[in-house]
Amino acid sequence: MAGIYIHIPFCKQACHYCDFHFSTSLKYKDEMLHALISEIKLQKGYLNGETIETIYFGGGTPSVLDGDEISRIINTLTELHTVSSVAEITLEANPDDLKPDKLKALKQTPVNRFSIGIQSFFDEDLVWMNRVHRGQEAESSVKRAQDAGFENITVDLIYGYPMLSDTKWKQNLDKVFELNVPHVSTYSMTVEPQTALAAFISKKKQPPMNEQQSAEQFIVLMDAMQAHGFEHYEISNFCKPGQYSRHNSNYWKGVKYLGIGPSAHSYNGDTRQWNIANNAKYMQALETGKLQAETEELTEENRLNEYIMTSLRTIWGLELVKLNQIAKGASAELLKAAAEYFDREWIIQKDNVIYLSATGKLYADHIAVGLFF
């Protein structure tokens, strides 16, 4: 099985914290759609005929596309690939886009899952982030989607920023539980270079993020999710039993995927490929039947470290047998490096699988780097 990611590089406005590749102008939307379809055709052999289990529209804001435009892309994929009859097809959406007419149109497409970028239900927080929508619209968009027959919904929330008190954070979580969605993705606010937030902090117009606040709110998050019957199946992701994001789970499990669009990444087991993060150059290259992209051959060390980083983040853990399949004797070397984390009870081992403990989840990236080859 394999997955396909489609990057839609358009947004209505730029969130202050976001460093993803996008344009706030829709002027060249038709030309971009033509280029995306051209790349799909050009890259049809990348996955060697493997059945497509998941399709994911990310961005940017894919919900700026209308139903017909989304169907055009999916139809092209199904013409060139074998797509599973039960494929998970996800569309990232902003709450303000999920109006009744839009939902009715999307119901006519193969899209069967929404990832709704709520981030917060508090208006002052959304203004601070420079989000387009407001709190009431966030709540209404989920209810409208459910009423339209979309039950497979995930919502995004952000924590660990100065305006978010613990009380407000708990209220955000309670609202999500009240909405009865089966999946929640949560992210600690990070300050990326070249973003408006980074500029505000450097000019002392905003305070820096507080790591202690973020850690404490992550603990509140884990406790609340467990109390409401959610599985913490990846550091940032929680779901009702068994209702994982199949597409993102495949990333963490090392399944092959093809990325379409400017800045999109692809992985086929041996190499990684990433497209140019420039809309104009991306479209110009495809007009001549070429793709502007860079490719990296994965070394044994690359593959070991990627497996450590991705597997440790999940409920499925790091399998020592798989580590040895990548490089003979790798597990023995890793266990030596892991001694200090066992002593601190940050990681545990069961049946030759290593997992993060609840405390270890607070230090996931630090532990992974410490185990790298």
Side-chain angles (χ1 to χ4, degrees):
M1 290 290 191
I4 295 179
Y5 171 83
I6 311 288
H7 188 79
I8 307 299
F10 300 114
C11 284
K12 292 176 182 176
Q13 65 187 42
C15 300
H16 287 158
Y17 55 85
C18 182
D19 71 339
F20 292 163
H21 173 71
F22 63 89
S23 168
T24 53
S25 169
L26 295 177
K27 183 178 179 181
Y28 296 104
K29 186 174 76 162
D30 290 345
E31 290 85 350
M32 179 58 70
L33 282 168
H34 178 76
L36 292 171
I37 287 171
S38 295
E39 187 190 353
I40 291 170
K41 293 175 180 177
L42 192 66
Q43 295 271 69
K44 65 181 181 181
Y46 185 83
L47 296 172
N48 295 318
E50 292 202 26
T51 298
I52 306 305
E53 181 186 17
T54 64
I55 298 170
Y56 192 102
F57 287 83
T61 310
S63 54
V64 301
L65 300 184
D66 63 35
D68 288 342
E69 291 166 336
I70 292 166
S71 289
R72 275 176 58 198
I73 293 172
I74 297 174
N75 289 343
T76 304
L77 292 172
T78 55
E79 287 168 7
L80 298 171
H81 298 274
T82 300
V83 178
S84 168
S85 61
V86 292
E88 175 192 86
I89 304 179
T90 303
L91 181 79
E92 287 186 352
N94 276 354
D96 50 291
D97 287 327
L98 296 180
K99 300 291 196 295
D101 286 349
K102 182 61 151 294
L103 286 162
K104 185 177 180 181
L106 290 172
K107 196 64 181 170
Q108 303 306 310
T109 74
V111 170
N112 53 30
R113 183 174 184 270
F114 283 141
S115 176
I116 304 177
I118 286 174
Q119 317 312 353
S120 175
F121 291 98
F122 290 94
D123 288 355
E124 65 268 25
D125 296 17
L126 295 166
V127 170
W128 181 82
M129 295 177 195
N130 204 37
R131 298 288 293 170
V132 176
H133 71 280
R134 295 295 175 261
Q136 183 56 53
E137 194 163 32
E139 181 177 350
S140 298
S141 70
V142 176
K143 291 177 178 177
R144 285 196 298 266
Q146 291 169 330
D147 289 344
F150 291 96
E151 296 180 1
N152 196 354
I153 294 173
T154 179
V155 300
D156 289 355
L157 294 176
I158 298 178
Y159 61 92
Y161 52 92
M163 296 182 67
L164 188 72
S165 65
D166 287 353
T167 298
K168 286 170 66 177
W169 179 224
K170 289 173 184 175
Q171 288 174 333
N172 273 339
L173 294 172
D174 286 342
K175 180 60 69 176
V176 167
F177 298 139
E178 180 187 313
L179 289 169
N180 197 30
V181 295
H183 190 287
V184 184
S185 296
T186 58
Y187 304 98
S188 175
M189 179 67 78
T190 53
V191 183
E192 302 293 348
Q194 312 303 319
T195 60
L197 181 57
F200 294 152
I201 292 172
S202 70
K203 294 173 183 176
K204 301 193 184 314
K205 293 182 178 179
Q206 294 284 349
M209 301 303 111
N210 184 315
E211 288 187 11
Q212 184 64 31
Q213 175 197 3
S214 183
E216 289 172 359
Q217 291 182 348
F218 183 60
I219 293 169
V220 168
L221 168 69
M222 289 192 290
D223 289 345
M225 288 290 171
Q226 184 177 25
H228 284 81
F230 280 73
E231 290 186 49
H232 190 182
Y233 75 97
E234 193 272 341
I235 291 293
S236 301
N237 289 274
F238 303 80
C239 69
K240 292 289 181 67
Q243 294 189 258
Y244 315 114
S245 162
R246 286 159 55 193
H247 185 84
N248 288 338
S249 294
N250 284 347
Y251 287 151
W252 304 315
K253 292 179 178 180
V255 174
K256 298 175 185 178
Y257 59 89
L258 169 63
I260 299 292
S263 80
H265 286 58
S266 302
Y267 166 75
N268 65 6
D270 299 313
T271 66
R272 287 203 178 278
Q273 177 178 291
W274 55 96
N275 295 349
I276 190 168
N278 181 296
N279 286 4
K281 291 180 179 179
Y282 170 81
M283 291 187 291
Q284 287 165 6
L286 283 161
E287 282 177 8
T288 64
K290 297 178 181 177
L291 179 66
Q292 280 218 25
E294 293 186 52
T295 301
E296 173 191 26
E297 295 281 341
L298 295 176
T299 64
E300 184 178 89
E301 184 179 288
N302 290 150
R303 285 184 280 129
L304 285 168
N305 292 343
E306 286 197 9
Y307 179 63
I308 291 167
M309 175 63 79
T310 55
S311 64
L312 262 185
R313 294 178 63 88
T314 72
I315 197 173
W316 303 288
L318 187 162
E319 297 181 30
L320 296 176
V321 171
K322 283 191 179 180
L323 208 63
N324 286 334
Q325 288 171 350
I326 298 171
K328 188 176 180 180
S331 64
E333 195 170 334
L334 179 130
L335 287 170
K336 289 179 187 176
E340 64 174 294
Y341 306 125
F342 282 119
D343 290 343
R344 294 179 184 178
E345 298 184 345
W346 288 1
I347 58 176
I348 54 178
Q349 183 177 344
K350 294 180 183 177
D351 299 326
N352 288 318
V353 181
I354 293 175
Y355 307 89
L356 294 175
S357 66
T359 303
K361 289 174 183 176
L362 292 165
Y363 306 100
D365 289 346
H366 173 79
I367 295 169
V369 171
L371 298 178
F372 280 176
F373 285 80

